[in-house]
Amino acid sequence: MVERNCLLIDDEMGRQKRIFQNSVATPLKKDGIKVNLIPIDTTEKQIQTEEKIDREKLKKYIEEAIKHKKIDVVACDYELASGAINGIGVVELVKGMRKKVPIYLYSGKFNKIIGDIIKRYDPKKPDSIKICVKEIKQIYGLGIKDFLERDEYPSQLVGLLKKQEETVDDIFSKKIREYESLVFKSCYPDFKGKKLGEIANHIDSESHYGDAFLDELIEQSVAYLIKVNKDE
């Protein structure tokens, strides 16, 4: 059975867990896909300061939750209970950890996402239009896969995870985990002395070293193929 990991961030996690199980996990299981839910409940006391979401605490909480895991998709509520941070702020945090992961941002009040930006415009303050444009550009630059109504995101997750195929990175990571206790000795100096399992963690977490290692591996593989064929 194929396994996928979904990071879900919401302030009504009990309800969202039930929806996820019934509308995402169960249907996909019938198609041979096991989806592991990684829930981030923003009402947890350990990520709040004075009953408001603490950005740094939330960041550390997410980092720990996804440590050494490949995240296949993220679904995040836009309007969180605490006014200290909204879904856009959470997406920024996640993209800083997993720059390639597809993210769906959903809301029960979809028009509020744009409304929150537009209401900052003040004709009496010329610079306010620049602030609005900057925020819109910022949202676009985050590479959010789609903005959805709250009841739409489960079907979108199912569709994405059904179509999602293993990448070369996935295959390589899975393969070297078969020898995870083996110590790496050459080819990429930054990983010398590390176990293959540790290297797989870097690849799955899309770290700088993991990406650089894969680039180096591809270059050396191509160089080897060229050399072998030239020698013939």
Side-chain angles (χ1 to χ4, degrees):
M1 181 172 281
V2 176
E3 286 199 32
R4 296 283 184 258
N5 294 320
C6 174
L7 180 67
L8 179 62
I9 304 159
D10 202 292
D11 58 1
E12 297 180 337
M13 191 51 69
R15 178 172 180 270
Q16 294 307 320
K17 278 183 176 180
R18 291 192 295 273
I19 291 173
F20 186 89
Q21 182 62 40
N22 294 331
S23 303
V24 179
T26 299
L28 285 173
K29 188 175 181 180
K30 294 175 182 177
D31 290 318
I33 302 171
K34 179 186 177 184
V35 186
N36 302 309
L37 177 63
I38 302 171
I40 303 294
D41 185 347
T42 59
T43 64
E44 289 281 351
K45 298 298 182 185
Q46 57 190 306
I47 62 174
Q48 294 189 352
T49 298
E50 296 180 352
E51 297 186 350
K52 287 189 175 182
I53 298 171
D54 185 304
R55 186 183 176 92
E56 284 306 308
K57 287 182 179 179
L58 175 61
K59 180 182 178 182
K60 290 177 181 177
Y61 191 83
I62 295 174
E63 284 177 335
E64 189 60 32
I66 66 176
K67 189 177 181 181
H68 303 331
K69 296 183 179 78
K70 180 182 184 301
I71 305 302
D72 296 285
V73 66
V74 177
C76 180
D77 188 9
Y78 172 75
E79 195 173 16
L80 301 170
S82 167
I85 186 172
N86 60 27
I88 299 296
V90 176
V91 170
E92 287 178 336
L93 293 179
V94 174
K95 280 293 186 178
M97 306 172 205
R98 298 286 194 278
K99 58 183 181 289
K100 301 174 187 176
V101 68
I103 297 179
Y104 289 103
L105 190 65
Y106 60 86
S107 174
K109 299 176 181 176
F110 187 69
N111 58 347
K112 194 175 187 303
I113 298 176
I114 301 301
D116 280 353
I117 296 173
I118 299 302
K119 72 182 181 183
R120 294 185 181 90
Y121 173 64
D122 184 347
K124 296 178 182 179
K125 298 178 181 179
D127 285 346
S128 66
I129 187 65
K130 292 181 181 179
I131 293 172
C132 290
V133 171
K134 182 180 179 181
E135 289 196 28
I136 291 171
K137 284 183 176 179
Q138 183 181 20
I139 293 173
Y140 179 77
L142 287 171
I144 296 170
K145 189 168 182 64
D146 207 347
F147 297 87
L148 304 167
E149 295 287 352
R150 186 181 297 276
D151 59 359
E152 291 179 327
Y153 87 83
S155 62
Q156 292 296 315
L157 292 185
V158 170
L160 176 76
L161 293 171
K162 269 187 179 181
K163 295 176 183 176
Q164 212 170 44
E165 295 181 359
E166 283 192 318
T167 64
V168 173
D169 298 7
D170 297 334
I171 296 169
F172 186 76
S173 172
K174 188 183 294 184
K175 194 64 183 176
I176 64 175
R177 282 191 188 280
E178 294 177 12
Y179 309 92
E180 60 180 17
S181 61
L182 192 66
V183 176
F184 190 73
K185 297 178 181 178
S186 63
C187 176
Y188 187 68
D190 287 320
F191 282 162
K192 187 175 182 179
K194 289 186 178 295
K195 293 182 179 179
L196 293 188
E198 294 177 273
I199 296 175
N201 291 338
H202 275 280
I203 294 170
D204 288 345
S205 63
E206 299 174 11
S207 74
H208 165 74
Y209 292 111
D211 288 346
F213 173 73
L214 287 171
D215 288 343
E216 180 68 21
L217 190 69
I218 290 171
E219 285 188 20
Q220 292 202 25
S221 297
V222 172
Y224 175 75
L225 287 172
I226 292 172
K227 182 180 183 302
V228 168
N229 283 281
K230 275 186 176 180
D231 289 346
E232 289 182 356

